[in-house]
């Protein structure tokens, strides 16, 4: 089990050290999500997800890779996807349009995948975890 004292705040360098294991984070949002998760839940393992989930957008099959696969002390497996809310100061055009336009489709596909495989599907939006 990961102990809260093992979850250390580090200078932002795109990795999070959890129980002497380095976890690569693609953004500060992912870093904050892992930090919050380890503080609030009894996490026993965290790893980058290697899942490739198909989804449909504009009649095309596309694929995405969720952020993390997390195991809790009771054996529960959570697939975590971190997605931020768009800033009011930026338009969708300025910030990778597909990132925001496909969030719902990705989460629906992930939810269906998790249901089939008996995983929990969570999204971290920068402040809280949303179970899908």
């Amino acid at each position: 089990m990961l102990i809260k004292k093992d979850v250390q705040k580090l200078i932002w360098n795109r990795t999070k050290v959890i129980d002497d294991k380095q976890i690569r984070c693609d953004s500060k949002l992912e870093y904050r999500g892992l930090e919050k998760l380890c503080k609030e839940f009894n996490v026993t393992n965290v790893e980058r997800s290697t899942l490739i989930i198909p989804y449909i957008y504009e009649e095309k099959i596309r694929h995405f890779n969720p952020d993390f696969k997390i195991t809790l002390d009771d054996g529960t497996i959570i697939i975590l996807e971190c997605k931020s809310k768009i800033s009011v100061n930026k338009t969708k055009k300025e910030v990778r349009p597909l990132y925001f336009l496909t969030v719902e489709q990705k989460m629906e596909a992930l939810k269906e995948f998790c249901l089939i495989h008996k995983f929990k599907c969570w999204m971290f939006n920068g402040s809280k975890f949303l179970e899908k």
Side-chain angles (χ1 to χ4, degrees):
M1 176 187 306
L2 301 176
I3 301 170
K4 289 180 185 179
K5 69 178 177 77
D6 294 329
V7 181
Q8 302 168 353
K9 285 190 176 184
L10 303 174
I11 296 171
W12 170 241
N13 66 358
R14 295 207 181 263
T15 60
K16 179 81 181 144
V17 177
I18 301 173
D19 224 16
D20 294 327
K21 182 178 176 183
Q22 285 195 355
I23 308 296
R24 181 181 53 82
C25 297
D26 292 338
S27 65
K28 288 183 181 181
L29 178 69
E30 289 182 4
Y31 185 91
R32 283 194 317 266
L34 283 184
E35 187 171 61
K36 185 172 176 63
L37 187 86
C38 290
K39 286 180 181 177
E40 294 182 10
F41 299 92
N42 294 321
V43 175
T44 57
N45 191 44
V46 177
E47 57 191 68
R48 289 296 304 185
S49 171
T50 57
L51 300 171
I52 303 297
I53 309 291
Y55 69 98
I56 297 173
Y57 180 72
E58 293 184 341
E59 300 180 19
K60 292 182 183 174
I61 296 176
R62 300 173 183 267
H63 299 85
F64 84 103
N65 171 240
D67 298 317
F68 302 104
K69 181 179 177 186
I70 293 126
T71 306
L72 302 181
D73 66 345
D74 65 359
T76 300
I77 295 175
I78 299 166
I79 306 300
L80 179 65
E81 178 67 10
C82 301
K83 291 283 184 222
S84 64
K85 299 174 187 171
I86 191 165
S87 164
V88 250
N89 300 325
K90 295 182 179 180
T91 66
K92 289 181 181 179
K93 210 172 210 176
E94 293 171 334
V95 188
R96 296 187 354 240
L98 274 182
Y99 179 89
F100 292 102
L101 296 175
T102 60
V103 170
E104 288 181 32
Q105 291 87 347
K106 290 176 182 178
M107 290 311 296
E108 280 304 311
L110 182 57
K111 183 178 171 181
E112 186 177 324
F113 177 88
C114 288
L115 187 62
I116 291 168
H117 295 279
K118 297 182 171 64
F119 297 155
K120 291 201 179 260
C121 175
W122 287 10
M123 182 174 164
F124 180 67
N125 68 7
S127 59
K128 61 184 174 181
F129 296 102
L130 308 168
E131 188 167 353
K132 295 292 177 176

